[in-house]
Structure formats: C-alpha cells, structure tokens
Amino acid sequence: MTRIGKAFKRLKKDGGKAFIPYIMAGDPSLETTKETVLMLEQCGADIVELGVPFSDPLADGPTIQRAAERALKNNVTLRKIIAFVKDIRSSTHIPLILMTYFNPVFKYGSERFIRDASDANVDGLIIPDLPPDEAADFIKHARKANLDTIFLLAPTSTEDRIRIVAKASRGFIYYVSITGTTGSGLLFDGSMERLISEIKGCTDTPIAVGFGVSTPEDAAAVAKVADGVIVGSAIVKKLHETPDTLKDYVISLRQAIR
Amino acid sequence: MPALKELEEAYLHSQKDREFQRELVHLRKTYIGRPTSLYFAKRLTERLGGAKIYLKREDLAHTGAHKINNAVGQVLLAKKMGKKRVIAETGAGQHGVATATGAALLGLECEIYMGTEDMKRQSLNVFRMRLLGAKVTEVATGSKTLKDAINDALRDWTTNVRSTHYVLGTVFGPHPFPVMVRDFQSIIGREAKKQILEAEGRLPDCLIACVGGGSNAMGLFYEFLNDDVKMIGVEAGGKGIESGEHAARFAGGSIGVFQGCKSYLLQDDDGNVLGTHSVSAGLDYASIGPEHPFLRDTGRVEYSYATDDEALNAFELLSKTEGILPALESAHAVAEVAKRAPEFASDKIIVVNLSGRGDKDVQHVARIKGIEL
C-alpha cells in the first residue's frame, strides 16, 4: 500500500477526513516551498499537493496561473521539483503528490518521469489534461513503480466516466466540485452529494474534493460528504499576499476538516 | 470529456441530417456568398514569369475571410444542440468577427476571448465584434496572444459547458474539432476543384496556403489529397528561424501535447510553451492542427515559411499588381508563390488560397512603415 493509501486507511480507522493543501512549487522559491511543506505537516496536513508550474495551466484559475508564472520566472522545472522531493524526504515522510500538466511529463519522457518520481519518493500524480482513456500505458508503468494515479471527476461526469475514472485511480479520486477552474466559488446545490454517493456506489477508493474550497466553512461542509478536502488557490493566495497569516489559516482549515 | 462526446455525436448526426445540410447550403449561398470565385491573376503571373497563378478568393466571403465557413457551420450546430451561447478565441480577429456574425445571424449570445497584444494589433476587428453584439474579453495572461485566448475560452467552456458551445476557429484542439473544422472548411477545395476544371480543363500542379492553426490550408488541400497535386503549407517565419522570434512549428518545434491534441509545438526543454512572433496575428501560434504533421511526415504536403519582411513585400506586390489587399496571413502564401512560380513552366498552374482580405491590417502595416494615418 502506498503512503497515500495508508493515510486514508488511518483516517478511516480514526473517523477523520483528509486535509490536502496545495501549493505551487517554487513560488516564490523552492526554499520557501520546503518550509511551507514542513509547516503544513506540523499543522496537521495529511497529504501535500505540489503544483508543477506550466506555461498554459488550462484547469487553473488566475491565482494559480499567476503563481505558475512566478515559479517559471524563477526557472523552476519538473526536473528541479523531482530533485526537491528527493531532498525533502530527509526531513518528512508526508505523502506528496505532484500536480502537473501532461506536456512537461511528455517532454521529460513518461517512463523516465515515472521512474525518477518514484525514486525520489513522490507518492502520487495528478495530471488534469491526461484523461484515463489515453493513459493505459502511463497507468501501467505508474502501478509498477508504486505511484498512485489520481484522476478527476466533475459534476458533468456520466456513469460511464465515473466507472472509467474509478478503475484508473489509485490513492483517491479527485472530485472537482464545480464546472470551472481552480479558485472559483463553491456551489451547494446538492449536486456534489449526489455525485459523490454515485461514485461511492462503484468504488471503495476514497474521494477528495477540490476546486472552490476557500473558507473553513466550505471545508467543513465538504468534509461532511467526502473523504478528503483539497484547498489550493486560497492557500497560494495567502502565501503570496499575506504570508504571515498563512499558518493560522491552515490551522483553521485543519480544525474545520473533521 | 462528456462535452466532447456530446459534440461528436451532434456533429456526426448533423452530417446525416438533411435539414441541417439544406440549411447550411442555403446559408453558404445566400449569406456567406459562396461559391467564392477562382480568379486568374494575370498581371501577377506575368510579373513573376512562371506558372499561371489562380487565387481562391476567400477574401470575398462575407466578413472577409474563410473563417465564416466554419463559424456559421458550428453556430448552426450549437443552435441545433440547444445551446444558448457561443464563445470563441480569436487571434487576428477574423474568427471572432465570423463567430460574432454567426451568433447575430442565428440569435445566440456571444463572447470572444482575445489576447491584449492582439487587441492592440487588431483594434478595428475588436470594434467590429462589439458592433455585432458580441462581448470581447481581454486575455492578459501568458503571452497575451492566441494561445492564451484559447486557454481562457477552454476555461469558460468547462465552466459553462451546459449552456455554451465553444466555436474553436481552427483544425486544432481535442477531437472532434480538427475533423469538424476541416469538414466545414473543405468547401473551399471542393469549389476550387470544380472551378479549375471549368477554367483549365485539368487539375492544378500546385496548391499553396498559409498555415497558422491550419484551417484554410486543410480546407483547400483536403479535396485534392488523393490527386496528383503538389501542396505547400506556409508558416510564419517572423524575424527568421535563427532569431527565435517566429511561429514556424515544423522548422523550429518538436512534438508535444497541448490544448487537447498531440502535434508539433514550439516549446522549451522543460515542455513549457514558447512565445511566438509573427507580423500577422492569425499565424502567431505555438502549435499546428494535428493533421498537418501527419501530412508532412507522410510526405504528402511540403511545409515552408515566409518571414515578416517577405510577407509585407507580398502584401504590397499583390495590392499593386492585382488591386487586391491580402490579409497579412494570406500574404505569407503569396510570398511563397513569388518564390515558387518562376520555377514552374508557363503551362503549369498554381492555386493560392487567398484566405482573407487585408483591410484589417492596413493600420498595422502603416504603423510598421512609420506612417501616421
């Protein structure tokens, strides 16, 4: 079982829900990213998602787009982030997920990427523009390397998609709470509850919800229906604009996710 | 993914739907003004001293470019799908104008995404779109050009997918867009084939078209793919390949996966998309429709490029010899003709796709020449 699987297993036993913060690696620097990961762990994060900066982040809203632009300006690359994970493993064993777009992986070489990421002790991968239909080989290699492949479902996903994504996903399934990009507002119209119970009908894989969770209240509401809560844009924004307030905010999220 | 499946089904259905096809044919004839003429450019032929040059006059289509062929087709499809709203990206503004026009024609709400940089270069088209009732939204992220406008249009589409159809303007993006756009544009080649047979009693020896995303080229080439006809696609060479400031994906790029398809891409060693440059906004794009690499790698189509300076010279050449101001995009194809025509014997025939008219570029050309209007 991977570190991500173990984290969810432990939470299930304790009746808890996973808190999964997202930060953009290299915004403003990889040194800060290291400090932030350690702070997040200290504040009770269960898993950390590291964004890999890309020039054209299609699934992201303006907050994360800008963070990616800043990281790219610092010459932060997929290669450097893999080396970063390898380095930080001497300080922490918290499960780490890379969220990257497919082209940097393609350019790196899919198999080489999987091997290097696994060697560096990365635990999981989220690639929002790689649909599972096109990922058979990728999934096969990732499985062999003990890397979790996390695919996305959305409110528009049909029964067929749910089955395909459930089959392709390990670690957890990423449920996108809204039709839209990261950092949009959360919608409480019952659709999330409906879809999540439909997903639970076809798989035992845990479900974490992201896109649009920004306040502790949002996080608490989502934690009621899902196995984990992902908070990205709001954290990225605080880290950039008011870094002094980040720790308190993270603590308030942790307390809300039960 | 569900939206793409829904679109694919609707598109395949429309191909067999007699009423849809009848309506499309009727709009092409009475609204777009098709068939556009195939014009023998006598003075240009004499001037260049080689092959006989014919121009497929897409510049005479309503709104002044081939983009309307696809826009009217897709907006009609969107209406049949029950969508209330269409969105589109635009570079030069021609596709934005075409989509805004289609939306006005069929009574749908319309929003166009356009990079800040392009809005500056093509302010006339921005105003045209607004006159047509469209909302024009500025895209100030990334390189602030066409690729960033596509990113934002795709973001809008994922957000409003239930009510909205995304009218992608070229043979790019996820399936079914490359196929669907090619099919809507292939009317260009079908007409050209019939017209050249009428005029000359035989097929041409060579076809030339500029290639940004590649829709006007696919539109002309597709009908001739199984014939013994040479084809040349012309990319934007910008300030020259060595300068790094260009949009010649074949000459300067490598294979990548971007905006929903696998194709040639201008990218750095880490897979980030590079900024591009071309004097013409419509060719200023980092990737190319995926059918073009197929045609290139199988040796069916040759690809070359024309620099900004060559295109500007061709712009003036065609204006002065034929009284036709070409779009700066199309001027790249004319530049290639200027190089190739003299290599052919005088009984050979070249058909050039004159994909758009140059009125939109007049201010831009004046600025480059340092002339205040």
Side-chain angles (χ1 to χ4, degrees):
Chain A
M1 187 178 275
T2 64
R3 262 191 284 251
I4 296 169
K6 282 180 194 150
F8 276 104
K9 199 175 161 194
R10 171 177 51 77
L11 285 160
K12 196 173 180 190
K13 212 178 89 202
D14 301 347
K17 299 293 169 81
F19 168 37
I20 310 173
Y22 166 104
I23 51 174
M24 175 61 69
D27 171 37
S29 68
L30 284 172
E31 293 74 48
T32 311
T33 301
K34 182 173 180 180
E35 286 163 23
T36 311
V37 170
L38 299 177
M39 181 274 283
L40 291 167
E41 183 182 28
Q42 190 206 340
C43 294
D46 298 292
I47 298 167
V48 173
E49 242 186 74
L50 290 174
V52 177
F54 179 53
S55 55
D56 294 82
L58 262 180
D60 288 301
T63 302
I64 292 180
Q65 280 179 55
R66 299 261 147 72
E69 283 176 10
R70 289 191 294 270
L72 285 175
K73 228 174 245 154
N74 295 338
N75 298 312
V76 173
T77 61
L78 184 56
R79 215 172 300 270
K80 285 187 188 165
I81 292 169
I82 291 171
F84 166 83
V85 172
K86 201 167 196 161
D87 172 61
I88 204 178
R89 277 303 177 213
S90 58
S91 318
T92 174
H93 291 289
I94 190 166
L96 292 171
I97 295 170
L98 298 189
M99 173 150 174
T100 176
Y101 288 86
F102 187 62
N103 198 53
V105 171
F106 180 76
K107 189 76 182 167
Y108 195 101
S110 288
E111 285 184 46
R112 198 158 73 87
F113 165 71
I114 288 167
R115 196 188 59 221
D116 291 356
S118 171
D119 286 349
N121 276 310
V122 170
D123 299 289
L125 305 169
I126 301 173
I127 307 180
D129 59 347
L130 177 67
D133 328 48
E134 306 282 343
D137 279 350
F138 190 88
I139 293 168
K140 196 178 78 193
H141 292 298
R143 290 266 189 288
K144 267 196 218 143
N146 213 27
L147 270 175
D148 284 334
T149 49
I150 296 148
F151 289 96
L152 286 75
L153 284 170
T156 48
S157 295
T158 54
E159 221 182 304
D160 275 359
R161 297 302 304 167
I162 293 176
R163 244 179 262 120
I164 292 170
V165 165
K167 193 159 171 275
S169 297
R170 287 285 187 286
F172 64 88
I173 291 167
Y174 195 133
Y175 179 73
V176 175
S177 66
I178 42 158
T179 56
T181 53
T182 53
S184 320
L186 198 58
L187 198 66
F188 293 101
D189 63 350
S191 61
M192 180 164 66
E193 290 82 345
R194 239 184 353 263
L195 251 294
I196 287 179
S197 79
E198 203 178 323
I199 301 166
K200 292 206 161 175
C202 16
T203 176
D204 293 331
T205 308
I207 301 160
V209 173
F211 285 45
V213 182
S214 67
T215 64
E217 292 73 39
D218 293 341
V222 168
K224 281 202 179 69
V225 291
D227 303 303
V229 184
I230 301 159
V231 185
S233 298
I235 290 177
V236 169
K237 196 170 177 184
K238 281 228 159 41
L239 180 60
H240 179 60
E241 289 173 3
T242 51
D244 296 343
T245 66
L246 181 61
K247 192 170 177 181
D248 287 343
Y249 173 67
V250 167
I251 291 169
S252 70
L253 287 171
R254 173 69 279 183
Q255 284 168 350
I257 299 167
R258 309 246 146 246
Chain B
M1 288 297 288
L4 294 170
K5 291 240 151 84
E6 180 196 2
L7 179 60
E8 184 186 21
E9 274 164 29
Y11 174 62
L12 291 176
H13 176 76
S14 76
Q15 292 292 87
K16 288 175 284 184
D17 181 354
R18 277 224 176 114
E19 196 202 331
F20 180 91
Q21 292 301 330
R22 208 166 34 233
E23 225 172 314
L24 186 60
V25 167
H26 180 72
L27 288 175
R28 276 178 182 152
K29 187 172 167 196
T30 61
Y31 188 74
I32 299 177
R34 304 206 71 91
T36 58
S37 66
L38 184 73
Y39 164 73
F40 173 51
K42 186 159 173 280
R43 291 195 67 225
L44 182 66
T45 299
E46 284 167 6
R47 174 76 174 268
L48 295 174
K52 290 177 83 168
I53 300 162
Y54 281 84
L55 304 177
K56 179 59 175 164
R57 298 290 307 275
E58 289 303 294
D59 60 316
L60 295 177
H62 181 44
T63 71
H66 72 291
K67 292 289 182 190
I68 192 78
N69 301 326
N70 168 54
V72 164
Q74 280 199 50
V75 177
L76 189 62
L77 183 63
K79 186 154 186 170
K80 299 277 176 202
M81 289 170 76
K83 304 289 180 188
K84 302 275 178 268
R85 175 173 178 265
V86 288
I87 55 169
E89 83 293 345
T90 197
Q94 290 306 112
H95 176 56
V97 167
T99 305
T101 300
L105 169 71
L106 295 164
L108 298 186
E109 199 189 318
C110 180
E111 182 166 352
I112 305 294
Y113 289 90
M114 190 168 187
T116 312
E117 205 52 45
D118 292 336
M119 285 178 78
K120 256 188 269 166
R121 283 193 280 200
Q122 304 288 347
S123 54
L124 203 60
N125 269 342
V126 174
F127 187 56
R128 283 171 82 193
M129 288 184 268
R130 288 183 174 143
L131 285 174
L132 291 160
K135 183 178 169 201
V136 182
T137 300
E138 181 178 340
V139 180
T141 48
S143 62
K144 306 180 176 99
T145 59
L146 181 57
K147 82 173 170 71
D148 310 281
I150 294 180
N151 287 342
D152 265 19
L154 281 166
R155 289 183 183 112
D156 180 316
W157 198 31
T158 43
T159 307
N160 303 299
V161 60
R162 293 180 182 94
S163 67
T164 299
H165 172 66
Y166 175 22
V167 183
L168 213 153
T170 191
V171 288
F172 196 71
H175 179 73
F177 283 109
V179 171
M180 179 168 73
V181 177
R182 177 198 71 201
D183 291 351
F184 282 135
Q185 291 294 3
S186 63
I187 183 73
I188 300 172
R190 289 202 300 278
E191 287 176 6
K193 190 180 234 181
K194 196 164 160 234
Q195 289 164 324
I196 198 73
L197 288 174
E198 275 166 16
E200 294 280 348
R202 68 179 188 88
L203 292 176
D205 299 283
C206 181
L207 306 176
I208 298 181
C210 65
V211 187
S215 72
N216 90 77
M218 278 317 303
L220 177 63
F221 295 169
Y222 192 60
E223 179 67 21
F224 294 90
L225 283 178
N226 297 320
D227 300 317
D228 183 20
V229 176
K230 184 178 170 61
M231 301 179 186
I232 303 169
V234 188
E235 298 186 279
K239 295 175 181 168
I241 305 302
E242 319 73 42
S243 73
E245 293 185 54
H246 61 82
R249 289 70 42 104
F250 287 131
S254 56
I255 294 176
V257 177
F258 181 54
Q259 291 175 337
C261 65
K262 185 175 178 183
S263 184
Y264 277 71
L265 177 66
L266 292 170
Q267 57 183 328
D268 65 17
D269 293 341
D270 297 300
N272 287 299
V273 180
L274 291 171
T276 51
H277 166 83
S278 170
V279 68
S280 79
L283 303 183
D284 199 351
Y285 182 57
S287 191
I288 180 170
E291 201 164 348
H292 287 288
F294 171 76
L295 294 173
R296 176 199 188 236
D297 293 347
T298 54
R300 181 63 192 91
V301 178
E302 179 188 339
Y303 292 84
S304 72
Y305 60 87
T307 63
D308 287 355
D309 287 345
E310 290 169 334
L312 287 163
N313 288 337
F315 178 85
E316 291 196 27
L317 174 69
L318 193 68
S319 302
K320 284 179 181 142
T321 53
E322 294 291 348
I324 298 169
L325 288 171
L328 281 176
E329 290 77 13
S330 321
H332 285 70
V334 177
E336 188 68 24
V337 172
K339 289 181 220 168
R340 302 284 181 137
E343 296 168 5
F344 285 89
S346 60
D347 61 339
K348 301 292 182 190
I349 301 165
I350 299 179
V351 173
V352 184
N353 199 5
L354 201 70
S355 55
R357 69 176 181 224
D359 307 51
K360 69 178 175 63
D361 294 313
V362 168
Q363 284 175 318
H364 186 49
V365 170
R367 256 198 309 275
I368 290 168
K369 292 169 79 93
I371 297 166
E372 199 137 341
L373 295 181

